[in-house]
Amino acid sequence: MASQAEVSYTAGTANKQRFLLHWQAKYIVANNLPANDAHWDSDDPAWVGKASMSKHHRFLIRRNLHWRWFNALVFGMLDENDMVYPHGQCCREAVAELNMMKDAALAWVAGVRSEEGWSENVGLFFHCYGHNSVNSLHLHVIDMDYIGPSFHSQEFKNLPLEEVLKDVDRTPINGTLATMDSHPAIDESVDLKAASVKACPVINNAESFRAARENFWKLGGPPGSSSGRAWGRTDGCALNVNVWFCFMQKKESGSSKLTTSTKPFNVFARLAYQDTVARTLIASESGLSKLTKSR
């Protein structure tokens, strides 16, 4: 089932990754499930909110699955070594990442425009944690000239990339990095996702995005690399790992990456991982072949 899902999410984009140009090393583009695409303009309650948000709806996914990029909610809160920026501070890498994602998505759309019929009116949206359906970063790339009922039903959580950039880019970056060891203990009875939605039922602009980030800090903030603490609830996963949500497996494997197995099935993280492995193998085989021929 996992393999079938992976194929379904790239069936329409597998031969179009080249349109990412030099961004292919950082990102891949996936399509929605075929049935969701087919019902993009349906007003049937069974499809509204499930179907694609537009006639043209794609996802831009990061290849690097470090958990500090799992969702826009935590952009800039940690560095590459899992060290935490002080509350109110932000890593400048987050600004660069957002600009790169924007450039990559628009480059891809420009490449497929004549073939797929995209308009020039392209929207780029995140779903902030609490309102997201997949715990791996994906940027919704939407043709705004062909939006359907599912787009309108999700306007409360369609957070434009530019609005995320407004908040992240204005955040100061002075301060000393630290682990979370000195922070108050986390209340393990808290359901982080439910608490986030309750506190911020609408997250679709810079102001509400900032409020969601402030609420996250009130709930405990990001756990650092040596804190050894866990969110007690794991969204149905039996393992209680020492970093966020059950989609991180740091305690079990020493990894700082999102899980890519089927339990839990984090579809976009797995898709990025599998595609990267496949490309690495192809490159290795190609290099070996050239070396053999040269001899």
Side-chain angles (χ1 to χ4, degrees):
M1 291 180 65
S3 296
Q4 291 174 356
E6 291 159 27
V7 171
S8 295
Y9 276 107
T10 55
T13 59
N15 298 320
K16 299 175 183 178
Q17 301 300 323
R18 66 186 184 281
F19 294 119
L20 282 172
L21 307 176
H22 57 288
W23 302 117
Q24 290 181 75
K26 284 185 65 69
Y27 309 109
I28 64 173
V29 173
N31 50 261
N32 209 337
L33 295 174
N36 293 352
D37 277 341
H39 292 86
W40 71 272
D41 58 349
S42 174
D43 57 7
D44 184 333
W47 286 104
V48 174
K50 177 181 177 182
S52 295
M53 291 191 281
S54 169
K55 180 180 180 180
H56 305 124
H57 182 177
R58 300 291 183 264
F59 308 104
L60 185 76
I61 306 168
R62 297 184 84 253
R63 290 187 181 278
N64 185 329
L65 298 176
H66 192 286
W67 61 278
R68 68 190 176 120
W69 301 109
F70 97 98
N71 188 274
L73 174 70
V74 298
F75 272 16
M77 290 187 180
L78 303 100
D79 73 356
E80 68 277 8
N81 297 313
D82 297 349
M83 299 293 286
V84 183
Y85 278 78
H87 182 197
Q89 308 291 316
C90 187
C91 174
R92 297 304 297 175
E93 239 185 307
V95 176
E97 181 67 32
L98 285 164
N99 283 318
M100 285 188 284
M101 294 190 80
K102 176 181 177 180
D103 291 345
L106 295 180
W108 188 87
V109 171
V112 302
R113 178 166 283 121
S114 60
E115 180 180 345
E116 295 192 0
W118 284 69
S119 74
E120 297 283 344
N121 186 14
V122 180
L124 305 175
F125 302 92
F126 293 110
H127 287 171
C128 191
Y129 183 77
H131 296 293
N132 62 313
S133 57
V134 179
N135 285 332
S136 177
L137 188 69
H138 52 288
L139 176 68
H140 294 265
V141 185
I142 305 292
D143 190 332
M144 299 300 289
D145 278 4
Y146 298 95
I147 56 176
S150 284
F151 179 86
H152 296 295
S153 74
Q154 298 179 81
E155 285 185 294
F156 72 96
K157 64 177 181 178
N158 284 335
L159 174 63
L161 181 149
E162 291 292 344
E163 295 297 291
V164 175
L165 190 58
K166 284 179 184 178
D167 181 74
V168 172
D169 198 20
R170 71 179 182 178
T171 307
I173 57 172
N174 298 320
T176 303
L177 295 177
T179 67
M180 292 293 291
D181 291 327
S182 60
H183 284 239
I186 294 171
D187 181 355
E188 294 190 358
S189 68
V190 172
D191 183 329
L192 181 58
K193 194 161 193 173
S196 298
V197 172
K198 182 178 180 180
C200 302
V202 176
I203 307 177
N204 59 10
N205 57 32
E207 182 179 5
S208 55
F209 176 60
R210 172 165 286 229
R213 284 159 70 88
E214 285 296 315
N215 179 66
F216 177 65
W217 277 100
K218 290 178 183 177
L219 292 172
S225 60
S226 65
S227 67
R229 297 184 301 158
W231 287 103
R233 300 188 63 86
T234 55
D235 293 305
C237 181
L239 297 176
N240 186 11
V241 293
N242 83 324
V243 284
W244 291 326
F245 326 119
C246 60
F247 296 86
M248 295 78 176
Q249 57 185 5
K250 190 172 185 176
K251 184 174 182 180
E252 300 302 318
S253 66
S255 172
S256 292
K257 303 297 180 66
L258 303 182
T259 59
T260 55
S261 63
T262 57
K263 295 181 180 180
F265 183 37
N266 193 349
V267 62
F268 289 145
R270 182 175 173 84
L271 184 63
Y273 171 74
Q274 297 283 41
D275 188 81
T276 300
V277 169
R279 285 172 175 260
T280 300
L281 289 174
I282 291 172
S284 298
E285 290 175 359
S286 176
L288 180 60
S289 177
K290 290 180 181 179
L291 179 61
T292 303
K293 288 180 180 179
S294 68
R295 291 181 177 178

